[in-house]
Amino acid sequence: MQMSQLRPAYACAAQYGVKAVAYGGPGSGKTPLIKTAPRVVLCATEPGLLSLRDSDLPTWEAYTPAAIDEFFAWAFGSNEVHNFDTIAVDSISQMAEIYLSEALVKHKHGLKAYGDMAEKVMTHVTRLYYMQRKHVYLVAKQSISQEGGGLAVKRPYFPGNELNVKVPHLYDEILHVGLMQVPGVAGQVRAIRTMATLDVTARDRSGRLAECEPCDLAALFAKCMS
């Protein structure tokens, strides 16, 4: 290494884009948010896309392990992916379940099946995280875990234990989508929570976002990168 090879930190950050995991309960608005992302391509791992019935965004149906693998082979190896600024997966939780179902058939030992599933999912989400000049929006289901003192905490859901730790730790933005009380606004509105509370898991590594942001991924991404 030579000193001339060093780069400003802002230049390093700018070349990777925003990498986000969003979660919320059924009907919270996670899927419609995809329409607000800049130049997005969607990998749909479950058929519940009724909320996108008015959209023509390019979508790949990936309801089997082979179809999922085909999408990521294209995403990481095709020049066509340069036509898009955002890669969305709806949902990453269901993608893990699809891989797990295949692994449980293959392996008699459940721990081996969960390990194989976690390895496949982490391979994809890690490569997405390091993709240059791409935003990533991973939709996750919501789980509620019981913490000390009986507190129920909302967090992204993944089958098993490994992904529940590794995926949220890796990604920059952990976003909770749903109806909430926004400071300065009367009543509950649909919004994106970016900061954790006692009962909601959320994080904003950019340090640019407000506690609650409007449901507009293009604006949110731009704010993160500003």
Side-chain angles (χ1 to χ4, degrees):
M1 187 189 85
Q2 298 180 356
M3 188 170 178
S4 61
Q5 295 175 292
L6 297 176
R7 303 174 61 204
Y10 65 79
C12 298
Q15 74 183 40
Y16 284 98
V18 179
K19 315 299 186 183
V21 176
Y23 75 100
S28 59
K30 308 179 297 295
T31 297
L33 261 178
I34 297 169
K35 296 185 290 185
T36 71
R39 293 207 310 165
V40 61
V41 60
L42 169 63
C43 176
T45 62
E46 50 191 53
L49 297 178
L50 189 61
S51 59
L52 297 180
R53 64 191 179 280
D54 59 347
S55 174
D56 61 356
L57 68 87
T59 301
W60 174 258
E61 296 179 285
Y63 309 139
T64 66
I68 294 169
D69 292 342
E70 188 171 355
F71 175 82
F72 285 107
W74 171 83
F76 299 132
S78 170
N79 286 329
E80 293 175 334
V81 78
H82 298 311
N83 294 311
F84 303 98
D85 296 324
T86 308
I87 296 177
V89 179
D90 187 3
S91 74
I92 194 70
S93 307
Q94 181 64 19
M95 187 177 90
E97 295 280 10
I98 292 170
Y99 278 133
L100 179 59
S101 295
E102 178 188 53
L104 287 171
V105 172
K106 180 179 178 182
H107 300 292
K108 294 182 179 179
H109 198 293
L111 289 178
K112 176 62 174 173
Y114 276 87
D116 280 6
M117 174 274 295
E119 182 179 0
K120 289 182 178 179
V121 173
M122 283 307 301
T123 295
H124 293 325
V125 299
T126 301
R127 292 187 72 185
L128 284 173
Y129 182 79
Y130 285 102
M131 283 189 81
Q132 296 189 19
R133 294 173 292 280
K134 288 287 180 289
H135 302 302
V136 174
Y137 178 70
L138 304 181
V139 175
K141 299 175 184 178
Q142 176 175 280
S143 68
I144 300 178
S145 62
Q146 297 297 322
E147 304 294 331
L151 183 65
V153 179
K154 299 172 184 176
R155 61 181 73 250
Y157 163 77
F158 298 95
N161 296 318
E162 187 174 347
L163 296 178
N164 285 288
V165 175
K166 288 186 174 180
V167 177
H169 178 75
L170 179 64
Y171 272 57
D172 301 315
E173 306 297 320
I174 308 300
L175 310 173
H176 182 249
V177 183
L179 292 174
M180 60 192 72
Q181 185 66 53
V182 176
V185 179
Q188 288 193 324
V189 296
R190 195 173 306 279
I192 301 172
R193 172 165 289 281
T194 71
M195 298 181 188
T197 64
L198 288 176
D199 62 346
V200 174
T201 301
R203 181 179 65 241
D204 166 34
R205 282 189 182 144
S206 77
R208 300 284 189 175
L209 302 180
E211 179 180 359
C212 297
E213 289 284 344
C215 290
D216 184 336
L217 288 180
L220 186 146
F221 292 163
K223 198 170 180 180
C224 285
M225 299 298 291
S226 65

